[in-house]
Amino acid sequence: MVCLTFCVSCSERTRKDETQLPSQGQVNQVLVVIDDDLWLSNVGDTIRNYLAAAIEGITPVEPKFDIDQQSPRIFESTAKSSKHILYVSTSEKRTKFELLINEYAQPQHFFVVEGKDNKSLIDNFLKHKDSIISRFHHQEISEMQDRFKESVLRDADFLQHKYKIKLDLPASYKRVLTDDSFVWYKKEIASGTSNILIYCLPYERIKSTTDKRELTREINFLRDSVVEKYVHSSESNTFMNLIVDAEPLSRTIELNGVEILEVTGIWDMENSFMGGPYLSYIAKVEDKKYYLILEGFTYNPSMSKRNVLLELEAIMRTLRINP
């Protein structure tokens, strides 16, 4: 990997050792190895501001990652088997950024961030924070997907026949509604449900635009007209829609060779107190002349939603169109 012009050492090293033990740690748990004085300084504040940032759309607030802080002195004398490690230290000689893969256990991502003083350490972390967060997040996704493949999957033939797609959908998700081009899967969880909707919107129903923001708004408007027909609460005169006061976040990603518009936002139940976060994948299927919509949402009012959303994303990221 090319070194940066101001002498930041950037490297990535993968260790392959079949004798290594499996890595340890709860879902979305990160071990930050850093001196106590640095952790209580602006360096620690900066790390917490990003790794423990609140996830948008989740109430009550939940952080991206749960952080455990440990002094390097303790770390050197204990098993280094955590799956996500960020090692932060000052060095008079260099500014360094390095990723060590499976250094002490597997799977494991071990990031080393060094700086000559607090300012250079913060600058170095900020420069690479997106890469650090992305690696930790996608490692969690990958581990979940591996577990899906080890278990019984739901409706593979049905989804192939109806939509020409493949999706690694765990059997814990039950098909609760099928109508025309609309399918609803639901999983019962501790204090609510986790849900996946699959449906299509024909080209002719959507105004032609190349602007991603306009396309998102147009599809979200039509999406409400479809979903409100099927998704209700037990109360009368209720239906699900998206909260228009909260601007959805959208970006383009590539998923198994297909360009996908990813949209995140907040849903609520009209005339009810239900609500929560959602994640939508929108794919333009040229040969069928429609947009395929894959949507995950959860209602889990009294318990954590973060890991439920992680599972939904892990499922949705297995999507293969026209396989």
Side-chain angles (χ1 to χ4, degrees), residues 43-56:
V43 175
D45 290 342
T46 302
I47 293 170
R48 286 187 291 273
N49 285 343
Y50 288 95
L51 293 190
I55 301 173
E56 291 194 37

Side-chain angles (χ1 to χ4, degrees), residues 150-307:
E150 294 172 358
S151 63
V152 177
L153 300 178
R154 168 76 61 186
D155 273 0
D157 291 340
F158 173 83
L159 292 172
Q160 169 67 34
H161 175 75
K162 190 172 184 65
Y163 295 109
K164 305 300 182 190
I165 66 171
K166 286 188 177 180
L167 190 70
D168 292 345
L169 184 63
S172 53
Y173 285 80
K174 311 299 182 184
R175 187 177 359 135
V176 295
L177 192 152
T178 304
D179 185 19
D180 194 19
S181 63
F182 184 91
V183 180
W184 180 3
Y185 292 95
K186 181 187 293 186
K187 174 184 176 180
E188 300 294 333
I189 54 180
S191 68
T193 61
S194 179
N195 305 266
I196 290 180
L197 309 178
I198 307 172
Y199 55 98
C200 303
L201 292 174
Y203 281 5
E204 59 265 22
R205 295 189 61 187
I206 299 170
K207 294 178 182 176
S208 178
T209 178
T210 57
D211 184 272
K212 181 174 65 176
R213 190 173 181 182
E214 285 298 318
L215 177 63
T216 300
R217 287 178 174 176
E218 181 69 13
I219 287 179
N220 280 348
F221 174 77
L222 292 171
R223 174 252 182 230
D224 280 352
S225 68
V226 173
V227 174
E228 71 178 27
K229 178 181 176 183
Y230 301 104
V231 185
H232 313 274
S233 76
S234 58
E235 302 165 278
S236 61
N237 196 32
T238 60
F239 55 89
M240 181 183 178
N241 60 19
L242 306 184
I243 296 180
V244 295
D245 293 338
E247 180 74 19
L249 302 176
S250 62
R251 63 172 181 159
T252 301
I253 63 172
E254 184 174 308
L255 191 60
N256 299 317
V258 177
E259 187 176 278
I260 301 284
L261 180 61
E262 180 188 79
V263 183
T264 58
I266 306 170
W267 67 272
D268 72 355
M269 190 70 69
E270 192 74 16
N271 300 318
S272 180
F273 293 103
M274 298 174 68
Y278 75 88
L279 170 68
S280 291
Y281 283 176
I282 302 167
K284 191 175 184 179
V285 184
E286 299 281 0
D287 60 336
K288 300 294 183 181
K289 302 300 180 186
Y290 60 58
Y291 286 92
L292 175 72
I293 316 294
L294 186 63
E295 183 168 296
F297 70 94
T298 182
Y299 176 65
N300 198 27
S302 62
M303 299 190 72
S304 171
K305 301 172 187 63
R306 181 188 64 186
N307 294 349

